[in-house]
Amino acid sequence: MSKRAGATAAVVSVSCPDVAQSPAATAVGPTDAETPLTRSALITGITGQDGSYLAEHLLAQGYEVWGLVRGQANPRVRLVRQLLEEVRLVRGDLLDQGSLISAVERVQPDEVYNLAAISYVPMSWQQAELTGEVTGLGVLRVLEAIRVCSGISASRSPAGRQIRFYQASSSEMFGKVRESPQSEQTPFHPRSPYGVAKAYGHHLTQNYRESYGMFAVSGILFNHESPRRGAEFVTRKVSLGVAKIKLGYERQLRLGNLGASRDWGFAGDYVRAMHMMLGQDVPTDYVVGTGVTHSVGELVELAFGVVGLDWQDHVVTDAAFIRPAEVDRLCANPAKAASELGWKPKIGFEELVTMMVEADLELLSVSGGHADDSFGSDAW
Ligand code: NAP
Ligand code: GDD
């Protein structure tokens, strides 16, 4: 049992840990092979795609992993419990400051990964205020929970070891791109309320690092996908659509802008980069992507090709899926992550698309056409 497990059994009466003076304060770094069992991580967004892959990765490294879950009967909790039996859950909501302080108090994490967000870009126009509250101000609330529980203030900087914080920033912040490929130096021009909220969270993370000396970093991640991707995002919408058409459940797939291009990678590769960022000596931000870009049209052609079908026989473009403002083309320059973290992706675009189509063929074959494991629906 890790050193954290005993502390967490005492539940809510635990007071704010002074991490600078706790045993963790003198513990070795997260990549030290001698003490992996002593480290604990709190993941917000555990019920999402990245939360599940990150939890698996950290468990494999010997971490005690806690996931923040919201709501009194969140249906995704069942999925998390099925997939990740060893993850411990704590209640909390990015809209509720007190719940975040309680969660940090209870878990006493060495690392906090803030993955929770309203992450579906079209929804951010429909619920712009909520997106600002969760995706933007939610970052402030998590940082404040860490700051308060660590006893950090303007006059009291953290000493020794401290809670390390990861913020899930996004290539959507580059928006109407000023240069290509995009690096850590590329200016932001967000094109959606989601992108604006992410830019706020990004700058705030930088500001807490500079103002309070906190170990707080952002990963500017480009699109990353997997068979666990929510069905509302284009890659999964396409892989599910192709599988349904191949198995005879559907005949058409309705899509929006086929000309938009993205730098798509595999989510399992990207969570490794998150962990690496928190293992560095100096906190700094990193762009994470493959450096290769493809259009939605190419994605569609490849996905239908996996099952031997011609996309032109099935794909219909529908104006309902066109966005008020589009991010036309994203392409990462991941040179800093490669040189400083030693990170590079293992799975390329073709392998990713093939993996997703094959996974959905299998899922629909055994479920009779239902994608019950899906983390979302195509609700524009
Ligand atoms: P996702 O599958 O949409 O998961 C979002 C998570 O946020 C869910 O676990 C959701 O929990 C949680 N959440 C939403 N509102 C919350 C609230 N008020 N309080 C607490 N939790 C809340 O997203 P993802 O693809 O895993 O992405 C993870 C993070 O990376 C997000 O911040 C996203 O914006 C960012 N990002 C993603 C990509 C990508 O390509 N995947 C790229 C760049 C950045 P419920 O189950 O309770 O709804
Ligand atoms: N979702 C969707 N559905 N997108 C479509 C469709 C469709 O039917 N047709 C065309 N697209 C185009 C969108 O217009 C967009 O240009 C592109 O496909 C990708 O859309 P999404 O898969 O929804 O992802 P996203 O790029 O908007 O946002 C994702 O990546 C961001 C990082 O760049 C999300 O994961 C964000 O949370 C993340 O920050």
Side-chain angles (χ1 to χ4, degrees):
M1 183 184 291
S2 79
K3 72 177 170 58
R4 297 285 174 188
T8 51
V11 194
V12 276
S13 59
V14 179
S15 61
C16 282
D18 182 345
V19 287
Q21 293 166 20
S22 73
T26 52
V28 291
T31 53
D32 190 310
E34 287 177 8
T35 56
L37 284 172
T38 66
R39 300 196 67 79
S40 65
L42 173 62
I43 302 173
T44 75
I46 190 82
T47 57
Q49 170 190 257
D50 290 8
S52 71
Y53 281 105
L54 179 63
E56 279 174 352
H57 179 69
L58 294 178
L59 286 168
Q61 306 286 315
Y63 276 68
E64 179 176 275
V65 178
W66 286 78
L68 187 90
V69 292
R70 66 180 173 138
Q72 61 184 47
N74 187 331
R76 294 188 185 183
V77 169
R78 183 180 53 83
L79 295 172
V80 173
R81 289 210 188 281
Q82 278 172 358
L83 191 65
L84 304 158
E85 282 175 7
E86 293 169 68
V87 169
R88 307 180 73 176
L89 301 178
V90 59
R91 280 189 201 287
D93 194 309
L94 256 61
L95 296 172
D96 182 343
Q97 179 71 75
S99 73
L100 297 174
I101 292 174
S102 296
V104 173
E105 267 184 5
R106 177 173 176 184
V107 175
Q108 301 186 31
D110 296 300
E111 299 170 10
V112 173
Y113 295 85
N114 183 37
L115 309 186
I118 293 197
S119 73
Y120 185 42
V121 172
M123 184 173 159
S124 76
W125 279 284
Q126 293 163 353
Q127 293 188 263
E129 183 178 345
L130 184 64
T131 302
E133 282 286 349
V134 177
T135 306
L137 281 172
V139 185
L140 172 69
R141 295 188 189 101
V142 178
L143 280 165
E144 277 293 281
I146 294 170
R147 187 186 70 74
V148 168
C149 287
S150 304
I152 298 168
S153 67
S155 59
R156 183 166 180 270
S157 292
R161 284 212 67 80
Q162 54 170 311
I163 298 174
R164 296 186 169 208
F165 173 78
Y166 172 86
Q167 167 57 17
S169 286
S170 166
S171 53
E172 183 78 10
M173 300 184 303
F174 296 123
K176 192 172 180 179
V177 297
R178 304 281 176 87
E179 62 180 5
S180 213
Q182 295 86 49
S183 74
E184 295 78 8
Q185 271 71 51
T186 304
F188 299 154
H189 186 146
R191 297 274 280 172
S192 61
Y194 167 84
V196 173
K198 280 289 177 187
Y200 170 83
H202 183 87
H203 287 303
L204 194 79
T205 301
Q206 214 165 35
N207 180 257
Y208 269 53
R209 183 165 78 220
E210 294 171 2
S211 303
Y212 298 116
M214 289 170 65
F215 194 108
V217 306
S218 293
I220 307 175
L221 269 51
F222 283 61
N223 298 48
H224 45 279
E225 320 293 314
S226 73
R228 298 180 197 165
R229 187 60 145 151
E232 64 271 41
F233 300 97
V234 75
T235 52
R236 186 79 195 287
K237 183 175 175 182
V238 168
S239 66
L240 270 172
V242 166
K244 283 180 184 167
I245 290 168
K246 180 66 180 175
L247 296 174
Y249 294 113
E250 306 272 354
R251 296 173 67 177
Q252 268 189 0
L253 177 60
R254 304 185 81 80
L255 294 170
N257 181 6
L258 300 184
S261 294
R262 291 290 183 277
D263 179 332
W264 279 296
F266 172 56
D269 283 336
Y270 288 48
V271 300
R272 286 190 289 110
M274 297 176 189
H275 180 229
M276 287 169 165
M277 285 179 218
L278 293 198
Q280 297 305 295
D281 291 336
V282 178
T284 177
D285 306 326
Y286 294 91
V287 156
V288 177
T290 68
V292 181
T293 190
H294 293 276
S295 69
V296 175
E298 289 173 287
L299 160 73
V300 165
E301 185 174 1
L302 176 57
F304 276 92
V306 170
V307 296
L309 294 175
D310 184 344
W311 69 275
Q312 295 183 83
D313 296 335
H314 302 283
V315 171
V316 175
T317 50
D318 186 335
F321 300 118
I322 303 292
R323 301 177 179 190
E326 178 65 285
V327 172
D328 292 320
R329 185 179 171 87
L330 292 174
C331 186
N333 174 356
K336 183 180 173 188
S339 65
E340 293 185 13
L341 302 177
W343 179 86
K344 63 177 181 188
K346 293 180 183 165
I347 293 191
F349 181 65
E350 286 194 19
E351 201 180 341
L352 172 66
V353 174
T354 304
M355 176 206 299
M356 291 179 71
V357 171
E358 288 177 349
D360 279 328
L361 277 173
E362 191 181 336
L363 173 70
L364 296 176
S365 298
V366 297
S367 69
H370 300 289
D372 288 340
D373 82 329
S374 169
F375 280 169
S377 64
D378 193 26
W380 289 66

